[in-house]
């Protein structure tokens, strides 16, 4: 049983194992279920929910960038905890979620009992993250840089990896198309990548995407 009857907003597929588990939670209510970041930006209101659950690998934009956009819009005040969920089991992914304000982290194939435990913990003001290996940032400069990439940079990388055009990413992020190209070049330089394919490969190797 939860600490109190919480209203939970989920951004991501309700057809997933996570979505099904959230619907069956005792003591809490799933009140909003936008599938895409664009829908979340259009629909979510700060007075509508007590906990935001976000899948990081959204099809239209990376989940951490969505959190930043919601915060800028006043749709996600600091008082509302965030639970990040992901298919990517990497220390880099967990550390970045911590750095960008998540209160907890869940792998999408975790069991429902663990989900309920994590939700209750973050609703009570705690933070809970999976155990993960230390990132040897002093030994690998790529890790140092990747850990500090902005959410917008990783959103651009995530989009390019999934075939999004620079123009469509620029439109979603409300930035010039030239800024998308500049971000890509910056990431290539810092990760010592010779091409976009190389950048994507390195980013997967170090657990960034």
């Amino acid at each position: 049983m939860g600490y109190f009857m919480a209203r939970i907003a989920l951004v991501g597929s309700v057809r997933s194992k996570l979505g099904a588990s959230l619907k069956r939670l005792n003591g809490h209510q799933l009140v909003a279920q936008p599938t895409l970041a664009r829908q979340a930006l259009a629909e979510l209101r700060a007075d509508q929910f007590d906990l935001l659950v976000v899948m990081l690998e959204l099809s239209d934009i990376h989940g951490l960038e969505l959190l930043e956009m919601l915060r800028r819009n006043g749709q996600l005040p600091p008082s509302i905890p965030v639970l990040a969920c992901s298919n990517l089991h990497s220390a880099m992914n967990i550390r970045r979620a911590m750095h960008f304000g998540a209160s907890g982290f869940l792998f999408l194939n975790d069991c429902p009992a663990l989900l309920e435990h994590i939700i209750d913990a973050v609703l009570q003001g705690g933070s809970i993250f999976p155990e993960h290996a230390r990132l040897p940032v002093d030994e690998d400069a790529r890790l140092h840089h990747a850990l500090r990439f902005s959410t917008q940079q990783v959103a651009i990388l995530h989009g390019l990896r999934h075939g999004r055009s620079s123009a469509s990413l620029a439109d979603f992020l409300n930035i010039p198309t030239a800024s998308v190209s500049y971000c890509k070049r910056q990431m290539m330089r810092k990760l010592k990548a010779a091409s976009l394919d190389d950048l994507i490969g390195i980013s997967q190797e170090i657990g960034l995407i």
Side-chain angles (χ1 to χ4, degrees):
M1 182 65 67
Y3 181 67
F4 67 94
M5 174 69 80
R7 301 163 302 163
I8 300 173
L10 165 67
V11 185
S13 174
V14 294
R15 297 187 183 90
S16 66
K17 180 180 177 182
L18 172 64
S21 297
L22 283 171
K23 287 182 176 180
R24 293 194 299 266
L25 276 180
N26 291 324
H28 302 306
Q29 181 184 9
L30 189 60
V31 295
Q33 306 167 37
T35 303
L36 301 173
R38 190 178 298 277
Q39 294 170 332
L41 290 164
E43 298 170 10
L44 293 183
R45 303 188 317 271
D47 61 353
Q48 186 182 26
F49 54 94
D50 306 300
L51 171 68
L52 180 62
V53 180
V54 176
M55 296 183 185
L56 297 186
E57 292 84 19
L58 297 171
S59 61
D60 54 349
I61 207 70
H62 193 271
L64 291 182
E65 174 62 10
L66 171 61
L67 296 181
E68 292 297 298
M69 297 175 83
L70 290 170
R71 289 178 180 127
R72 287 196 299 270
N73 293 347
Q75 295 169 269
L76 181 61
S79 58
I80 295 180
V82 173
L83 177 58
C85 304
S86 179
N87 282 313
L88 180 57
H89 295 221
S90 75
M92 176 67 71
N93 201 26
I94 296 167
R95 286 281 301 278
R96 284 183 56 83
M98 295 170 68
H99 180 72
F100 288 106
S103 299
F105 191 101
L106 188 75
F107 295 125
L108 290 180
N109 58 356
D110 281 339
C111 67
L114 182 58
L115 171 64
E116 188 162 354
H117 169 68
I118 292 174
I119 285 177
D120 286 346
V122 299
L123 284 171
Q124 294 178 59
S127 60
I128 185 164
F129 292 87
E131 290 187 5
H132 54 280
R134 182 186 71 86
L135 282 174
V137 293
D138 295 331
E139 302 162 24
D140 189 338
R142 300 176 307 171
L143 298 177
H144 173 84
H145 292 305
L147 195 58
R148 288 158 179 78
F149 282 161
S150 70
T151 58
Q152 187 174 98
Q153 285 175 302
V154 173
I156 288 170
L157 178 59
H158 172 75
L160 293 172
R161 177 195 176 193
H162 287 91
R164 296 282 299 278
S165 68
S166 294
S168 69
L169 287 168
D171 179 64
F172 191 102
L173 296 168
N174 196 28
I175 59 176
T177 303
S179 295
V180 174
S181 299
Y182 176 73
C183 280
K184 181 180 74 173
R185 291 195 302 272
Q186 269 195 321
M187 290 185 286
M188 288 175 60
R189 178 174 59 81
K190 290 183 177 180
L191 296 189
K192 302 186 184 307
S195 64
L196 176 58
D197 286 344
D198 195 22
L199 175 62
I200 291 170
I202 292 169
S203 298
Q204 291 174 308
E205 177 191 337
I206 63 177
L208 180 60
I209 60 172

